[in-house]
Amino acid sequence: MPVAQRQVVHRPLLLDRLADARANTDNLFSIVRPDAVYERPIPERHRIIFYIGHLEAFEWNLLHERALGLHPFHSEFDRLFAFGIDPVGGGLPTDRPEDWPVIADVRNYVEQVRSAIDEGLQERLSSEKPSRELTQLLEVAIEHRLMHAETLAYMLHQLPIDRKIRPTFHAETVVAPVAPEMVDIPAGTVTLGLRRDSGAFGWDNEFEAHVVDVPRFSIDRYKVTNWQFLEFLDAGGYEERRFWSESAWAWKQEHAISHPGFWRRHGDSWLQRTMFQEVPLPMDWPVYVSHAEASAYANWAGKCLPTEAEWHRAAYGTLDGNERNYPWGNETPNRKLGNFDFQRWDATPVGSHAEGKSAFGVADMLGNGWEWTSTLFAPFSGFEPFPFYLGYSADFFDNKHFVMKGGSPRTALCMLRRSFRNWFQPHYPYVYAGFRCVSH
Ligand SMILES: [Fe+2]
């Protein structure tokens, strides 16, 4: 077999996935005007320049010694770009743009890291089948980058529109409006988590698999829309103390929160701040709000947010007791089934993807916005942190973060697996996250 042909045959899928993930984040940074890379769109987070260096620094720090036997060539940047900021507690960062390296040096570092990693991986993977350990490290690198592709989208959403370069225009999805209604879900069992002996990749918090009994309940067929949330707002929901927990009320008062973070008042009406423009509030889009606001709405409506187990039951359960891999069945996700995998920058109307509904007829469980649950983020029985990334989940088992399930327009396909768990603190208003309510 000619050498070139053999290389093509042996180019591992993981390297293609890494290359695709890099192209994805490169495209994302390309929407930032060159004179805006030192800006800080979210006060609690780093400046954009940090993230340009961070993705490579993380991969280098993860792989160079453990997987590739390579020596550091820029230890200063390896440290400078190593860690992000979690905004719970603590003051706001006070660094100045001039505290950061010039962009040309950061881009040079990125190029050098990519070349070194690619050469090292090609060498290892052309001579041996990837070990389970190496596969796991590469999955971590790829999913870490793709998670940042999503959280960076939240961040760039907050960058003023005139600081961004708009790529291609997508025609808006128009569907017949749907009426809110609830669906009865009979009692049953759900499997949360992933079996360690399955060999499938999952983050540390996805293990171990276990079965949970779920009593009957009913759940909204669609995510709560802007229109429904506007009813809550117009009814004075933001001023009514009893709908808010003590900490949520304190947060709301301190930051003068009086409407969803993605809305802006315009005279007598409301605008939605999309990634590249402000548009009249699309009434049939899912509302994106913090956990605190979602909980207040549920209290006002006399309902609750679902637990993680209830959410699973509505998404993956069936009448015959079997569980599906995805809400629609076992077919791997494709773009007809939901608004996910970077197809769009923003939401579509609820109910836009009828083929993606669950066995119980619940719509849009994957994509079009994460969904808040009432479940505090905590380890499953049998949890073990990754030895190479001890704090990935464990740093957040603090009873201050809530589990989110589902996925947003900017969630990669690989993270639509059933066991994937996302989590955020309840007062962070920038996430593409909405909710639906349950009754018991
Ligand atoms: Fe990171």
Side-chain angles (χ1 to χ4, degrees), residues 50-51 54-55 58 82-84 144 148 389:
F50 166 82
Y51 297 94
H54 171 65
L55 298 174
F58 178 90
F83 299 109
H144 171 264
H148 272 292
Y389 198 170

Side-chain angles (χ1 to χ4, degrees), residues 1 16-17 21 56 84 122 149 204 213-214 235 292 308 314 437:
M1 186 187 290
D16 285 340
R17 286 183 55 207
E56 266 64 31
Q122 285 290 2
D204 54 3
D213 285 323
V214 183
E308 184 177 12
C437 297

Side-chain angles (χ1 to χ4, degrees), residues 334-348:
N334 67 64
R335 294 173 169 207
K336 278 189 313 199
L337 298 167
N339 181 15
F340 41 62
D341 200 37
F342 313 102
Q343 295 171 67
R344 316 179 67 84
W345 292 100
D346 292 285
T348 53

Side-chain angles (χ1 to χ4, degrees), residues 71-321:
H71 296 295
F73 62 91
H74 204 320
S75 301
E76 185 196 338
F77 279 11
D78 298 345
R79 277 193 302 275
L80 180 66
F81 294 112
F83 299 109
I85 302 176
D86 176 49
V88 171
L92 296 178
T94 56
D95 57 275
R96 298 159 306 170
E98 55 269 32
D99 296 334
W100 293 90
V102 297
I103 183 71
D105 289 352
V106 181
R107 293 211 189 279
N108 194 28
Y109 171 76
V110 166
E111 286 310 311
Q112 284 183 280
V113 168
R114 285 188 188 184
S115 302
I117 287 179
D118 285 352
E119 265 177 48
L121 285 175
Q122 285 290 2
E123 203 172 304
R124 254 197 86 170
L125 296 177
S126 61
S127 58
E128 58 185 282
K129 200 169 165 284
S131 64
R132 188 155 174 199
E133 190 203 357
L134 179 59
T135 301
Q136 186 186 48
L137 290 172
L138 287 174
E139 294 273 11
V140 164
I142 292 163
E143 290 205 2
H144 171 264
R145 182 178 283 272
L146 290 171
M147 280 183 217
H148 272 292
E150 176 164 0
T151 54
L152 281 164
Y154 308 155
M155 200 179 83
L156 299 181
H157 206 110
Q158 300 303 318
L159 188 67
I161 288 166
D162 63 2
R163 311 295 279 153
K164 289 184 264 197
I165 301 162
R166 184 177 183 158
T168 49
F169 174 77
H170 289 284
E172 292 306 323
T173 303
V174 178
V175 294
V178 294
E181 59 179 330
M182 296 192 86
V183 180
D184 283 329
I185 310 291
T189 58
V190 296
T191 307
L192 301 188
L194 196 53
R195 276 184 24 222
R196 210 177 284 283
D197 62 9
S198 68
F201 173 73
W203 291 87
D204 54 3
N205 64 65
E206 294 172 57
F207 301 101
E208 186 59 94
H210 58 288
V211 172
V212 177
D213 285 323
V214 183
R216 70 170 291 276
F217 63 101
S218 53
I219 189 166
D220 288 333
R221 188 184 297 281
Y222 306 105
K223 295 182 214 281
V224 170
T225 60
N226 279 333
W227 175 75
Q228 288 174 286
F229 203 83
L230 185 57
E231 284 194 311
F232 162 72
L233 187 147
D234 284 344
Y238 275 86
E239 287 84 52
E240 190 77 52
R241 171 70 186 82
R242 68 196 159 107
F243 299 139
W244 301 76
S245 71
E246 197 172 319
S247 61
W249 186 257
W251 163 74
K252 191 182 79 64
Q253 296 299 93
E254 183 185 346
H255 297 278
I257 307 290
S258 60
H259 58 81
F262 289 87
W263 295 11
R264 191 169 75 75
R265 175 72 89 175
H266 182 63
D268 289 341
S269 58
W270 291 97
L271 300 176
Q272 173 106 18
R273 299 168 61 228
T274 72
M275 183 61 113
F276 294 105
Q277 59 183 343
E278 292 185 334
V279 298
L281 191 67
M283 292 298 178
D284 52 2
W285 283 16
V287 68
Y288 289 166
V289 284
S290 66
H291 186 273
E293 291 160 298
S295 301
Y297 175 96
N299 288 334
W300 169 77
K303 300 175 184 176
C304 307
L305 296 182
T307 63
E308 184 177 12
E310 285 172 338
W311 193 95
H312 265 255
R313 176 81 179 133
Y316 304 108
T318 61
L319 275 175
D320 64 17

